[in-house]
């Protein structure tokens, strides 16, 4: 019976692989359902080494598509990197190198090269947005559009002990709900999450909500994870739609227009760089084009809808659903 149950878990995992049964990967690209024979053989060898409890945890993460990422699924290192193989099998068949992956905040089994085991849970990893990898810089804000500034300051008092950031949720030019203070190293911001905790946007009510905001809220889904790490603040896109990010540290110092970056599902981006922020202190001049009070320690994130010269939405206040992440000094 034990062997039969274990075999059944492995079969369910194979049916859940990226592109299996005509599926679609997290980046929205249809993949070959079977993968290469080499990948299948190497991944099969990894699955055979996992105990039943680990197989159950892996299956829960894969079948929920990361809604229930579960704990670490550790396996000893033999041959090709196990986490790379399972990320290719269950999420991104086109992956080529483990350097394209980033362990998410909270994964205890990613380890380093000196460790004999590694976490191979594919939903404990994201793809990294780098300067030479997709997605590229999306657009630059136009300095020619004028609009009345927001009538609510975006710079709250961050002196409360233990809060490394506060998050404000906006629909167009209206802030919805109170500031959400973040004390833990990471926070999930979502519309609908089967389990877990964080900032639930689905619970925020607004009278006379626009149709655009109502439609966009339905696309937030699992949303994003914000994490404070040693080198800066990272955003991981867990949803099925892109997010768009604007931050003072995404561009070179003394460059007045700010960059808007498009982050595809499954990708992570360092949305605020602490070292660059220190450099910006010597260039305190605000950008030429802002649609509210300028805060060099804030990040703006729009769900599903971009803004800038390539869009009818020139400024983020025209986006249906967006976040202001207010960082402590």
């Amino acid at each position: 019976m034990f062997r039969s149950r274990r075999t059944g878990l492995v079969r369910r995992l194979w049916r859940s692989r990226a592109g299996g049964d005509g599926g679609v990967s997290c980046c929205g690209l249809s993949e070959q359902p079977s993968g290469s024979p080499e990948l299948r053989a190497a991944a099969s060898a990894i699955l055979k080494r996992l105990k039943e409890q680990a197989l159950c945890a892996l299956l829960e993460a894969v079948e929920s598509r990361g809604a229930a990422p579960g704990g670490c699924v550790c396996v000893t290192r033999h041959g090709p990197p196990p986490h790379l193989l399972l990320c290719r099998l269950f999420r991104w068949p086109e992956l080529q190198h483990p350097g394209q992956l980033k362990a998410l905040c909270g994964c205890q089994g990613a380890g380093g090269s000196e460790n004999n085991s590694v976490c191979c849970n594919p939903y404990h990893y994201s793809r990294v947005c780098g300067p030479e990898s997709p997605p590229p810089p999306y657009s630059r804000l136009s300095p020619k559009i004028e609009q009345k500034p927001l009538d609510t300051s975006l710079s709250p008092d961050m002196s409360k002990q233990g809060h490394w950031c506060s998050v404000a949720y906006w629909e167009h030019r209206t802030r919805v709900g109170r500031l959400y203070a973040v004390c833990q190293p990471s926070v999930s911001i979502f519309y609908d999450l089967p389990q877990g905790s964080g900032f639930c946007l689905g619970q925020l009510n607004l009278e006379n909500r626009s149709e655009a905001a109502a439609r966009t809220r339905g696309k937030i889904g699992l949303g994003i994870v914000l994490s404070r790490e040693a080198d800066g603040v990272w955003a991981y896109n867990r949803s099925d739609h892109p997010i768009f990010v604007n931050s003072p540290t995404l561009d070179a110092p003394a460059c007045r227009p700010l960059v808007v970056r498009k982050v595809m599902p499954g990708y992570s981006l360092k949305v605020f760089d602490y070292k660059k922020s220190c450099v910006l202190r010597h260039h305190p001049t605000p950008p030429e084009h802002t649609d509210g009070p300028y805060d060099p320690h804030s990040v703006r994130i729009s769900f599903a809808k971009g803004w800038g010269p390539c869009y009818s939405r020139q400024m983020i206040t025209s986006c249906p659903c967006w976040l202001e992440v207010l960082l402590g000094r």
Side-chain angles (χ1 to χ4, degrees):
M1 179 179 292
F2 172 80
R3 186 168 185 176
S4 175
R5 171 174 167 79
R6 196 175 182 284
T7 301
L9 292 172
V10 173
R11 286 177 177 172
R12 286 175 61 183
L13 281 166
W14 279 110
R15 288 197 297 267
S16 301
R17 65 196 182 278
D21 299 326
V24 178
S25 74
C26 287
C27 293
L29 301 175
S30 298
E31 306 292 346
Q32 294 297 324
S34 59
S36 68
E38 294 80 7
L39 171 61
R40 291 164 55 188
S44 178
I46 294 174
L47 296 180
K48 289 179 180 178
R49 286 153 50 194
L50 294 178
K51 296 181 179 180
E52 182 177 332
Q53 183 176 2
L55 286 172
C56 288
L58 180 60
L59 182 63
E60 182 181 22
V62 169
E63 288 191 335
S64 71
R65 295 186 63 201
C72 291
V73 178
C74 292
V75 64
T76 54
R77 299 172 186 264
H78 289 296
H83 60 303
L84 175 66
L85 292 175
L86 292 198
C87 281
R88 289 183 62 190
L89 182 67
F90 293 114
R91 298 191 72 183
W92 307 294
E94 71 278 10
L95 274 178
Q96 298 296 322
H97 192 274
Q100 297 174 290
L101 295 171
K102 177 185 183 298
L104 298 176
C105 180
C107 178
Q108 304 298 318
S113 58
E114 69 279 0
N115 294 340
N116 190 40
S117 65
V118 63
C119 175
C120 61
N121 184 336
Y123 285 95
H124 278 204
Y125 295 88
S126 69
R127 300 184 70 169
V128 181
C129 293
E132 301 300 330
S133 64
Y138 193 74
S139 64
R140 292 183 180 273
L141 299 180
S142 170
K144 299 179 180 179
I145 304 299
E146 295 184 0
Q147 186 171 335
K148 293 181 180 180
L150 298 172
D151 55 9
T152 303
S153 173
L154 301 181
S155 301
D157 181 9
M158 295 296 294
S159 62
K160 295 181 180 180
Q161 186 175 2
H163 297 175
W164 65 270
C165 82
S166 291
V167 182
Y169 169 65
W170 296 78
E171 293 184 6
H172 299 289
R173 299 176 60 79
T174 301
R175 198 178 82 189
V176 184
R178 298 182 178 182
L179 289 174
Y180 185 91
V182 181
C183 301
Q184 298 298 321
S186 65
V187 60
S188 295
I189 304 173
F190 53 89
Y191 181 82
D192 183 23
L193 190 61
Q195 57 179 285
S197 60
F199 188 9
C200 181
L201 304 180
Q203 295 180 347
L204 300 179
N205 296 318
L206 177 66
E207 293 184 4
N208 301 319
R209 172 170 283 135
S210 72
E211 292 184 6
R215 288 194 303 268
T216 303
R217 281 166 63 85
K219 297 179 180 179
I220 294 173
L222 300 181
I224 65 173
V225 174
L226 288 175
S227 59
R228 181 185 60 177
E229 304 184 27
D231 57 347
V233 178
W234 287 77
Y236 166 46
N237 184 4
R238 299 180 69 192
S239 75
D240 293 328
H241 300 272
I243 61 173
F244 298 81
V245 182
N246 163 253
S247 163
T249 66
L250 287 178
D251 209 345
C255 184
R256 293 172 68 83
L258 298 183
V259 166
V260 177
R261 292 286 298 273
K262 182 179 183 181
V263 183
M264 295 298 289
Y267 278 82
S268 284
L269 175 70
K270 187 197 297 184
V271 297
F272 193 85
D273 188 298
Y274 294 137
K275 289 184 178 180
K276 288 185 179 181
S277 177
C278 292
V279 175
L280 287 174
R281 294 177 186 174
H282 302 287
H283 303 277
T285 305
E288 295 177 357
H289 175 71
T290 59
D291 50 344
Y294 174 71
D295 188 342
H297 295 85
S298 68
V299 179
R300 295 179 174 188
I301 302 173
S302 173
F303 292 104
K305 304 295 183 180
W307 76 97
C310 297
Y311 289 91
S312 59
R313 297 172 294 275
Q314 292 293 305
M315 292 178 285
I316 196 170
T317 46
S318 298
C319 293
C321 303
W322 58 282
L323 303 173
E324 183 81 4
V325 183
L326 306 152
L327 302 170
R329 305 300 193 267

